[in-house]
């Protein structure tokens, strides 16, 4: 039995295969070897803020108490909508934090999770970002100088391609493989004028096209069987989550009793039994 505060599952790629680890308290447990076995995750009802450690009745922003959620730059509106970054206006909640995490190079990428989508992430967060979304393919298409600019580029792409993953579709099986290089050329052609204007505004080196020296990455997830019908488990209503572990994809466990988003319960106190 392992006990402690849940965290997002770390994942790594080995020869194209995704390997997951359960992080609970100070414990790290490899999960791929548990496929097909009955597992149990029992929630106590207690929640600890992942930043300050304070016990809270409700989790905000996947793991924070309300005070931290209201104060920290990592919980500001621009984290979900990077084009709304206000660092350049001098109103950032934590300028030093922003300099370390936001005023750094970011990627604009295409991925294939439930379907083709566009997204952005910090330069050191690939392929982690793709794995968290359950993408079977990923391709970085631009490197940009900071988070706000990545959001502005992403906003242009959102006019011609989705920016969200349909998690239910993602959990029903791998999406049909697509040629992301061809999709990249097609989409850039549709927004070329707007993209060119943005580059003229911020400078040629602010947005770097990666077409000539990049590749599409492919990922295979540890899944024995995908569900035909996706039934979501709410740990607050069903504190004892148990069943045979049929697969892991994104941040979801696929059990024979339903699916549960482990990341959603970051900071929740739980016991794990296998």
């Amino acid at each position: 039995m392992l006990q402690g505060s849940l965290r997002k599952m770390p994942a790594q790629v080995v020869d194209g295969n995704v390997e997951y680890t359960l992080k609970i308290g100070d414990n790290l447990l490899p999960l791929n070897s548990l496929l097909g076995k009955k597992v149990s995750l029992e929630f106590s009802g207690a929640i600890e803020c992942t930043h300050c450690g304070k016990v809270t009745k409700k989790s905000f922003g996947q793991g924070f108490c309300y005070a931290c959620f209201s104060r920290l730059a990592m919980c500001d509106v621009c984290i979900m909508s990077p084009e709304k970054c206000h660092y350049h206006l001098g109103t950032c909640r934590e300028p030093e934090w922003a300099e370390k995490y936001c005023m750094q190079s970011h990627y604009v990428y295409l991925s294939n999770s439930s379907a083709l989508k566009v997204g952005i992430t910090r330069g050191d967060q690939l392929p982690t970002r793709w794995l968290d979304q359950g993408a079977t393919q990923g391709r970085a298409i631009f490197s940009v100088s900071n988070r706000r600019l990545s959001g502005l580029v992403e906003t242009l792409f959102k006019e011609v391609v989705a920016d969200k993953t349909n998690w239910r579709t993602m959990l029903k099986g791998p999406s049909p493989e697509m040629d992301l290089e061809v999709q990249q050329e097609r989409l850039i052609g549709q927004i070329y004028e707007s993209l060119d204007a943005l580059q003229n505004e911020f400078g040629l080196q602010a947005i770097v096209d990666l077409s000539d020296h990049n590749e599409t990455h492919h990922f295979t997830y540890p899944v024995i069987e995908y569900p035909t019908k996706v039934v979501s488990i709410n740990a607050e209503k069903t504190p004892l989550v148990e069943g045979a572990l049929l697969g892991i994809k994104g941040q979801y466990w696929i059990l024979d009793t339903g699916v549960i988003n482990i990341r959603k319960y970051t900071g929740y106190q739980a016991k794990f039994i296998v």
Side-chain angles (χ1 to χ4, degrees):
M1 181 186 74
L2 302 178
Q3 185 172 350
S5 178
L6 272 182
R7 293 293 188 270
K8 186 186 84 165
M9 290 183 292
Q12 62 177 345
V13 181
V14 179
D15 297 327
N17 297 305
V18 184
E19 297 185 353
Y20 284 97
T21 299
L22 176 66
K23 189 173 184 180
I24 181 169
D26 296 326
N27 305 291
L28 293 172
L29 178 69
L31 286 172
N32 288 39
S33 61
L34 300 182
L35 288 183
K37 297 182 179 180
K38 183 176 179 179
V39 297
S40 172
L41 196 60
E42 184 175 1
F43 291 83
S44 69
I47 309 172
E48 290 183 1
C49 175
T50 57
H51 184 76
C52 70
K54 177 183 177 181
V55 175
T56 176
K57 292 183 179 180
K58 183 178 179 181
S59 175
F60 295 85
Q62 293 183 333
F64 299 93
C65 66
Y66 184 74
C68 287
F69 179 74
S70 302
R71 175 177 59 83
L72 297 174
M74 68 177 75
C75 299
D76 206 348
V77 64
C78 47
I79 297 303
M80 294 300 295
S81 302
E83 71 278 6
K84 296 180 181 180
C85 170
H86 46 99
Y87 175 90
H88 62 293
L89 300 176
T91 55
C92 180
R93 292 179 176 181
E94 297 177 279
E96 291 184 0
W97 185 90
E99 288 168 9
K100 183 176 180 180
Y101 294 101
C102 302
M103 307 308 292
Q104 303 294 331
S105 65
H106 279 61
Y107 287 121
V108 180
Y109 64 81
L110 292 178
S111 65
N112 180 10
S113 49
S114 57
L116 181 67
K117 72 175 290 290
V118 66
I120 67 102
T121 194
R122 200 169 66 241
D124 60 354
Q125 287 299 297
L126 291 181
T128 300
R129 182 64 171 162
W130 293 329
L131 304 183
D132 285 348
Q133 295 176 344
T136 52
Q137 295 173 270
R139 181 182 180 89
I141 57 177
F142 288 104
S143 174
V144 300
S145 57
N146 58 64
R147 184 173 179 83
R148 175 174 175 253
L149 186 51
S150 73
L152 294 174
V153 174
E154 182 189 35
T155 297
L156 297 181
F157 277 97
K158 285 194 292 186
E159 297 178 2
V160 294
V161 67
D163 67 323
K164 305 293 184 185
T165 295
N166 184 320
W167 63 273
R168 290 183 181 276
T169 301
M170 181 269 291
L171 290 174
K172 287 184 178 180
S175 298
E177 187 167 323
M178 60 180 66
D179 190 328
L180 294 189
E181 184 176 4
V182 170
Q183 295 296 330
Q184 171 183 335
E185 294 175 359
R186 177 180 67 84
L187 295 171
I188 290 177
Q190 291 181 264
I191 64 165
Y192 180 78
E193 291 185 2
S194 299
L195 192 60
D196 190 51
L198 199 61
Q199 192 159 39
N200 288 335
E201 178 182 353
F202 287 91
L204 292 176
Q205 298 304 312
I207 305 174
V208 179
D209 189 335
L210 302 175
S211 300
D212 295 333
H213 48 85
N214 201 13
E215 62 179 315
T216 297
H217 300 265
H218 298 77
F219 312 106
T220 300
Y221 292 85
V223 179
I224 298 174
E225 181 182 338
Y226 285 101
T228 55
K229 181 180 180 180
V230 176
V231 178
S232 180
I233 299 173
N234 184 334
E236 293 186 343
K237 296 180 179 179
T238 310
L240 178 58
V241 178
E242 56 185 352
L245 183 61
L246 300 180
I248 312 168
K249 191 177 183 186
Q251 283 291 313
Y252 287 85
W253 285 5
I254 301 172
L255 305 169
D256 62 352
T257 54
V259 303
I260 181 169
N261 183 349
I262 297 299
R263 188 174 189 176
K264 178 180 178 180
Y265 299 102
T266 299
Y268 282 62
Q269 296 294 305
K271 295 178 183 177
F272 176 76
I273 301 173
V274 60

